[in-house]
Amino acid sequence: MVMNNQKTQKTELEISVIGSGIAGITTAFCLGKKGYKVNLIDPQINSAINNLNPGNGTQAALGVLMGNIYKRSKGRAFLLRNKSMKLWKEWLKEIDPSQSNIKLEKPLIKLANTEKEYHSMIEISKNKKDYGVELIDKKTIEFWNSIFEKKLIGGLISHEDGRLNPIHLMESLIQSLNKLKVDKIEDHVIKINRNPKSYKNKWTIYLENNNCIYQDYIVICSAINSQKLLNPL
């Protein structure tokens, strides 16, 4: 996130989020909740959301959240995953208070068909008892063996990990953005420039339709296209 250092009231600040995948759309949601004036820019922002013809990686994703079943139990990667799980629980209550459209589908099951993978699972189950992770019993493995062609040796079940339906999540987030009055701009960003001499609106966003947007802050969430925008700066 590129920001200036001026102490300005939130309602006076204008922030553009470039990219409407899960990173961009949740960033716009959080900023909108905090009272900022937000634009969400993406050429497919108003397109139908589906996973048969996905417009971005989020729509093609499975939506699996596995912060607890992750093999590590310390370090930055583990802490980030663990924090993500806690944040999603809070956000789901805000995005869909009735939880009629989106909810975390639990538990998450991970299966092993090699001795090496299974031994790793045994260690994970020892280290993650307090996180609701345990080994799957033999009867359950026999059931899964009756379904899969590959012979399974064992598996893990994580009672607090699970899956969010990415399509339902995106649809609910879009509805939340409408309530927060986040402006959705359906266009390509072709270039961004700094305006170092400007007290306000220190960034210019050039759109494909030849229009420009002047903003205080920019948040770039456009995956592989992010570097294309940043390199010329």
Side-chain angles (χ1 to χ4, degrees):
M1 184 173 181
V2 188
M3 303 180 74
N4 63 36
N5 294 319
Q6 304 300 331
K7 295 181 179 179
T8 315
Q9 294 296 322
K10 290 181 180 179
T11 52
E12 295 177 356
L13 295 175
E14 293 192 43
I15 306 173
S16 274
V17 179
I18 303 171
S20 67
I22 194 63
I25 209 167
T26 51
T27 298
F29 170 74
C30 289
L31 290 171
K33 288 284 290 183
K34 289 180 180 293
Y36 293 105
K37 178 174 170 50
V38 182
N39 297 313
L40 182 60
I41 310 171
D42 192 292
Q44 296 179 322
I45 186 64
N46 293 318
S47 301
I49 299 172
N50 67 78
N51 51 10
L52 297 177
N53 183 28
N56 54 47
T58 301
Q59 294 181 30
L62 295 174
V64 175
L65 298 178
M66 44 192 299
N68 299 301
I69 207 170
Y70 183 57
K71 62 183 179 180
R72 294 181 181 175
S73 56
K74 59 183 179 180
R76 183 173 180 271
F78 169 73
L79 292 173
L80 285 173
R81 285 171 179 261
N82 201 250
K83 185 176 181 180
S84 174
M85 294 297 297
K86 292 176 181 177
L87 283 174
W88 273 116
K89 288 179 182 179
E90 295 173 13
W91 287 350
L92 290 180
K93 293 176 184 177
E94 295 182 22
I95 297 165
D96 183 23
S98 66
Q99 294 197 332
S100 58
N101 193 34
I102 49 172
K103 60 182 179 180
L104 182 61
E105 300 165 0
K106 300 185 288 188
L108 180 69
I109 293 173
K110 190 176 181 181
L111 301 170
N113 61 6
T114 67
E115 289 288 347
K116 183 179 179 180
E117 192 176 9
Y118 183 54
H119 283 305
S120 175
M121 288 182 174
I122 293 173
E123 290 303 310
I124 291 172
S125 68
K126 290 177 182 177
N127 296 329
K128 298 291 185 73
K129 283 182 180 179
D130 295 338
Y131 293 94
V133 178
E134 59 184 349
L135 291 171
I136 297 175
D137 61 74
K138 289 184 178 180
K139 283 189 176 182
T140 304
I141 293 299
E142 288 173 5
F143 165 76
W144 290 114
N145 269 322
S146 68
I147 297 174
F148 294 106
E149 292 182 7
K150 285 188 176 181
K151 180 174 173 55
L152 300 169
I153 299 170
L156 281 175
I157 182 167
S158 176
H159 297 284
E160 294 303 318
D161 289 326
R163 175 183 181 268
L164 288 173
N165 185 308
I167 302 303
H168 292 167
L169 176 61
M170 294 286 280
E171 289 172 342
S172 295
L173 278 166
I174 289 291
Q175 291 176 11
S176 296
L177 295 186
N178 292 338
K179 292 177 183 176
L180 293 169
K181 296 182 179 179
V182 170
D183 289 330
K184 298 190 290 296
I185 300 172
E186 189 174 9
D187 207 340
H188 280 280
V189 175
I190 57 174
K191 186 172 67 171
I192 58 174
N193 269 354
R194 293 177 189 264
N195 306 319
K197 294 182 180 180
S198 176
Y199 174 80
K200 186 172 166 55
N201 300 142
K202 289 202 168 187
W203 293 90
T204 303
I205 301 172
Y206 297 88
L207 303 176
E208 197 172 53
N209 65 5
N210 294 321
N211 285 336
C212 294
I213 303 174
Y214 302 97
Q215 299 287 271
D216 295 293
Y217 304 158
I218 300 174
V219 186
I220 303 175
C221 303
S222 53
I224 58 174
N225 291 321
S226 298
Q227 206 59 44
K228 292 179 182 177
L229 294 173
L230 291 170
N231 281 339
L233 295 175

